[in-house]
Amino acid sequence: AATVSLSRDQDQSQVIYGPMMTERTDRRSAQISLTQPLFTWGQVSAAIRAAKVGLQSADEQLRIYRQAAWRDVSAAFHDVLLARELHALALHNIEQRKRHREEAKRKFQAGVATDYDLLAAEVSVENARPEVIRTENQVRTARERLRFLLAVEQGEVDVTGSLEVIFRPYRSYEEALSLAREKRPDLADIRHRIGVARELVVLADAQDKPRLDMKGSYGWNSVEQPSVYGDGPSWSVGVQLSYPFFDGFRTRGRVEQAKSDLRRIEIDEAKQIDAVALETRDAVYAVREAEEIVRSLSGTVSQAERLLEMAEKGYVLGVKNRLDVEDAEFNLRQARSSLSRSRRDYLVARVNLDWVTGVLGEEKGISP
């Protein structure tokens, strides 16, 4: 520690010779003082270690927010893709209903369809319009959310890509939990805070222990009177031993408080480990569930497409009615939309599993 001081003092002193008179004394001084701890019972080293661990804790906090931003942006990205696919399905549905309306008009003009069939086709087209408007608004909303997460203040944000998935092996629960306990930034942050708390116990315990400091000062002093003037350098060097014999049990109270804080953080670590274990299990199960649903719906879409094709041909040939065609269309639309949602859920579940294990956007060499 170093201090610099400048001072100027003026006083009046009475001389003892000659007539009684007063003279003004002007003193000036400039001094720099240095203090170097020699032995502090571990206070300095504990403070340095606590500061280093505190910096590491700040890095882990940055990793927490970075990974959370990566997860949220990834989910918003896939939400945009899902909204666009649902909008495309809605457009395809209304176009198909318009074709049915044209077919109904053709049959009505040919005299093989009634007014009821034509009116039902018109109503079917109008009923499909709200879904187009709704999905179009979902696309805009998803894009706005992505723009917000990307912190883009002006302009529009759009994405490219598809929801096609490639199935890859994923970690088991035991492997994922082991990796999470090693890589999760929030667990690492708690461990760093435990390290800081332990050093604070050392600092508190050293408050009533003796310490040794080396102190030195160097300066320049001057004294000026009407008849006398003098100036010159001054310095001093020494070793100081201090020992607080009694502090009213203040140090003991601080030590107990520091130990209590340490135990509280250790309890928080145990609770966080249990929470991470639950999150890891849920994330692994979510990936497994989403993968099984995607595999199941992939075959269902193929069957629904074939069913619609058969219904349309039967309707043209007159062996199927309009209700059969609409049922087939509804089943195909439901299968396609469910498949799109399940693909989105699978991709987001893979991202969430990487986030739960603490490697999202960081471990390039580890396959998710």
Side-chain angles (χ1 to χ4, degrees):
T3 58
V4 178
S5 61
L6 299 173
S7 65
R8 176 176 178 176
D9 299 329
Q10 290 184 347
D11 61 4
Q12 291 185 352
S13 60
Q14 185 175 7
V15 298
I16 60 176
Y17 58 88
M20 296 298 294
M21 60 177 296
T22 60
E23 293 182 350
R24 184 177 299 275
T25 302
D26 191 358
R27 297 185 178 89
R28 299 184 180 90
S29 64
Q31 189 174 14
I32 180 172
S33 302
L34 297 175
T35 302
Q36 175 62 47
L38 299 178
F39 178 74
T40 60
W41 210 276
Q43 293 185 52
V44 175
S45 57
I48 293 175
R49 290 192 300 268
K52 291 181 178 179
V53 176
L55 292 176
Q56 294 175 356
S57 178
D59 293 337
E60 297 301 332
Q61 289 286 339
L62 179 60
R63 287 184 59 218
I64 291 175
Y65 293 112
R66 183 188 292 118
Q67 292 191 10
W70 191 302
R71 178 201 58 189
D72 294 341
V73 170
S74 298
F77 172 83
H78 293 110
D79 287 340
V80 175
L81 294 179
L82 174 61
R84 285 167 55 176
E85 287 202 4
L86 295 179
H87 182 58
L89 289 175
L91 292 175
H92 178 74
N93 178 51
I94 194 173
E95 291 298 327
Q96 200 166 30
R97 291 175 183 266
K98 288 180 179 179
R99 289 196 301 269
H100 292 167
R101 182 183 61 183
E102 296 301 322
E103 181 67 20
K105 288 182 179 180
R106 185 183 63 81
K107 288 185 175 183
F108 177 77
Q109 293 173 357
V112 295
T114 64
D115 293 341
Y116 174 82
D117 296 328
L118 183 58
L119 181 59
E122 290 285 353
V123 172
S124 178
V125 172
E126 296 303 322
N127 285 337
R129 295 188 186 279
E131 186 65 20
V132 175
I133 299 173
R134 187 180 299 110
T135 54
E136 184 179 3
N137 183 64
Q138 289 176 357
V139 173
R140 288 195 295 265
T141 303
R143 290 173 58 183
E144 283 297 315
R145 174 171 173 76
L146 180 61
R147 185 185 66 84
F148 170 76
L149 292 175
L150 293 176
V152 178
E153 297 182 358
Q154 298 179 352
E156 295 184 353
V157 174
D158 202 358
V159 302
T160 58
S162 66
L163 291 176
E164 295 294 331
V165 299
I166 300 176
F167 296 112
R168 293 170 295 171
Y170 53 89
R171 301 181 183 91
S172 65
Y173 167 72
E174 291 75 14
E175 295 174 344
L177 180 58
S178 177
L179 185 62
R181 297 186 66 169
E182 177 186 358
K183 297 293 185 179
R184 279 283 291 252
D186 50 348
L187 293 180
D189 176 58
I190 291 182
R191 289 193 291 267
H192 292 323
R193 289 195 286 121
I194 289 176
V196 173
R198 288 172 178 168
E199 299 302 335
L200 292 179
V201 173
V202 176
L203 284 172
D205 188 57
Q207 295 298 318
D208 60 349
K209 304 298 188 298
R211 62 176 293 164
L212 192 65
D213 298 295
M214 183 180 69
K215 294 189 175 182
S217 63
Y218 179 82
W220 189 273
N221 298 321
S222 66
V223 178
E224 181 178 357
Q225 292 181 346
S227 58
V228 180
Y229 176 79
D231 62 354
S234 63
W235 61 272
S236 64
V237 176
V239 176
Q240 176 180 336
L241 174 65
S242 58
Y243 180 51
F245 290 96
F246 181 72
D247 60 357
F249 303 105
R250 181 178 59 183
T251 300
R252 181 181 299 179
R254 289 181 175 179
V255 171
E256 292 301 323
Q257 181 180 0
K259 289 181 178 179
S260 176
D261 293 339
L262 175 60
R263 289 191 293 269
R264 177 180 55 81
I265 299 176
E266 290 175 344
I267 294 174
D268 291 341
E269 181 189 24
K271 292 169 57 179
Q272 187 64 20
I273 290 176
D274 292 339
V276 168
L278 180 59
E279 290 178 358
T280 304
R281 189 182 299 275
D282 291 342
V284 173
Y285 288 167
V287 173
R288 181 186 305 170
E289 175 186 344
E291 180 176 337
E292 293 177 354
I293 292 176
V294 172
R295 293 183 184 275
S296 175
L297 290 177
S298 298
T300 304
V301 170
S302 300
Q303 295 175 355
E305 290 175 348
R306 179 169 175 76
L307 181 62
L308 177 61
E309 182 181 357
M310 295 171 61
E312 288 180 339
K313 288 182 179 180
Y315 181 72
V316 173
L317 296 175
V319 297
K320 294 289 184 181
N321 56 31
R322 182 182 55 83
L323 184 59
D324 295 329
V325 177
E326 290 184 354
D327 287 342
E329 289 176 348
F330 177 78
N331 292 331
L332 178 58
R333 187 169 64 254
Q334 286 292 103
R336 285 178 174 173
S337 61
S338 298
L339 179 60
S340 297
R341 289 188 174 90
S342 64
R343 286 174 173 173
R344 178 264 178 197
D345 294 341
Y346 174 77
L347 294 173
V348 173
R350 294 303 300 257
V351 172
N352 187 64
L353 180 59
D354 288 346
W355 174 75
V356 167
T357 53
V359 298
L360 182 59
E362 297 183 358
E363 296 295 333
K364 302 299 182 181
I366 298 179
S367 60

